[in-house]
Structure formats: C-alpha cells, structure tokens
Amino acid sequence: MTTEPQNGASLDLAVIIGSVREGRFGPVVAKWFAERAEEYGRFTVSLVDLADTALPLALPAVPPALEPRMARPAGMADLTRRLERADAVVVVTPDYNRSFPASLKAAIDWHYTEWEAKPIGFVGYSGASGGLLAIEQLRQVFAELQAHTVRNVVTFPRYYELFGPEGELRDPEGPNGAAKAMLDELLWWGELLHEARRTRAETS
C-alpha cells in the first residue's frame, strides 16, 4: 500500500465533529486528529463542526438518493459544499447510549452522493468502548451510502484520563501510530476512488 499521492497532489480531508451536546469533548479530539493529518503532509484538512450547522430532523419526502440536487435548508449549504468537495472523511464520534449522536445521523441522511465512493475513517471516544459501539453501527450506515469505511480506527476509551488540561495526549505514541495507519489507508483509498469518480464523470 503506497502512501505517495498521485502526481504529488493532496486530497481534501473533512474531519467531522459529530457531537453537538453541551460540554462535548469532540472538538478536543478532532483538533488532535486534524493536527496529525496536517503533519502527515498528504491532505488538505478541513474541520467540520456540526454544531455550526442547522440540521433539521424532519427529512424531505423524496430522499437524497433519488434527488441528489434536492433543495436543502440554507443553513446546510456550507456543510453540503464541504462534503461534496471532500475526497475522504473522518468522523469523530462518542458513544451515546451504545450508538452515535442524532446530529451525526441527520447530517448523513440529508446527503447521499456527497458520501458515495469516498473513504470514511473513524476516531471514537467514550468512557468504556472508546466509541467502537458507535463506529460499528456507522459502518453499516455508510455501506448503504456506497462509501468505503477503512479498517483502521483511532479510539480513546476513558478519554478523560488520556488527555491533559490543554488538550494534549499524556502518552501520544499509541494514538499517533493508530492515526498514521488510518491515514495511510485513507490516502490509498482516497486516491483510488478519486480517480474512479473522475473516470465515471467523464464517461457518464
């Protein structure tokens, strides 16, 4: 598996903060991962905070799978543009009652082609599982959207013991290695699927 981008080009990576609850820890985890992705040197990294987006839970009668260019609420326009532009996505999520946040599900369900044929990675955090319960359910959701979820993940069980008061990891070696392994996968699949989407667009 090569880590060299084709033609020296970087890929657009969207890092999504999935939790919007008061007092959430997601921005700390997302900032840490975004810094690792920037240091990796092969991605243009964009942080996407769902707390900055109006996400109605009531979906339109015709789903995005059937109407990709559907009219969406004006407050969602920036999110849609950033997802559409992304070559790869990393979802930062906690476990909520053994699942993932409703805000994240709403963001997913309001879109379809924006996820299609793109690699998806996960960074999880929670008290016990490190977000793995949410991540395994999200794999099923993204499979329905024809996205490719990569095998390697980054997880932080008991995250409140792992990060210092300034958002720094107390012992970064293991998480840094896990982030590198996931970024390797995202780059490989991101280049491959970017080319596949380009070819499909030219021949359709």
Side-chain angles (χ1 to χ4, degrees):
M1 183 179 293
T2 180
T3 59
E4 291 297 325
Q6 294 178 358
N7 301 321
S10 64
L11 298 178
D12 286 316
L13 174 65
V15 179
I16 299 176
I17 304 172
S19 172
V20 300
R21 79 186 304 172
E22 184 178 352
R24 65 207 170 121
F25 196 73
V28 175
V29 179
K31 180 177 181 292
W32 169 84
F33 181 79
E35 289 172 352
R36 303 292 77 72
E38 288 169 353
E39 290 172 358
Y40 188 84
R42 299 294 188 269
F43 296 99
T44 299
V45 183
S46 173
L47 270 176
V48 180
D49 192 343
L50 296 186
D52 296 333
T53 303
L55 290 168
L57 297 181
L59 298 171
V62 179
L66 300 179
E67 186 57 59
R69 298 299 176 185
M70 62 188 298
R72 295 183 177 90
M76 200 178 295
D78 183 62
L79 172 63
T80 300
R81 281 194 300 269
R82 295 170 80 180
L83 293 179
E84 187 173 35
R85 184 175 67 236
D87 295 301
V89 176
V90 168
V91 176
V92 178
T93 183
D95 283 339
Y96 282 2
N97 298 320
R98 303 181 69 85
S99 187
F100 52 90
S103 52
L104 187 52
K105 188 61 162 63
I108 293 170
D109 288 346
W110 270 101
H111 301 89
Y112 186 83
T113 56
E114 291 79 8
W115 309 111
E116 191 176 7
K118 294 181 181 181
I120 313 290
F122 301 103
V123 178
Y125 63 98
S126 72
S129 81
L132 284 173
L133 298 171
I135 289 169
E136 289 310 305
Q137 293 186 26
L138 283 165
R139 289 190 188 279
Q140 298 178 56
V141 174
F142 280 112
E144 180 64 20
L145 299 169
Q146 301 188 65
H148 174 78
T149 60
V150 300
R151 178 186 181 278
N152 287 296
V153 299
V154 184
T155 62
F156 294 104
R158 296 185 176 86
Y159 62 89
Y160 39 81
E161 297 176 353
L162 304 178
F163 286 84
E166 301 301 320
E168 77 284 2
L169 275 171
R170 301 184 192 278
D171 184 6
E173 183 177 357
N176 285 351
K180 167 67 163 54
M182 187 170 73
L183 288 164
D184 284 345
E185 276 197 280
L186 287 169
L187 179 64
W188 193 88
W189 282 105
E191 290 181 339
L192 189 71
L193 293 173
H194 177 90
E195 181 65 17
R197 293 194 310 275
R198 185 190 65 79
T199 301
R200 182 177 62 183
E202 291 177 351
T203 58
S204 62

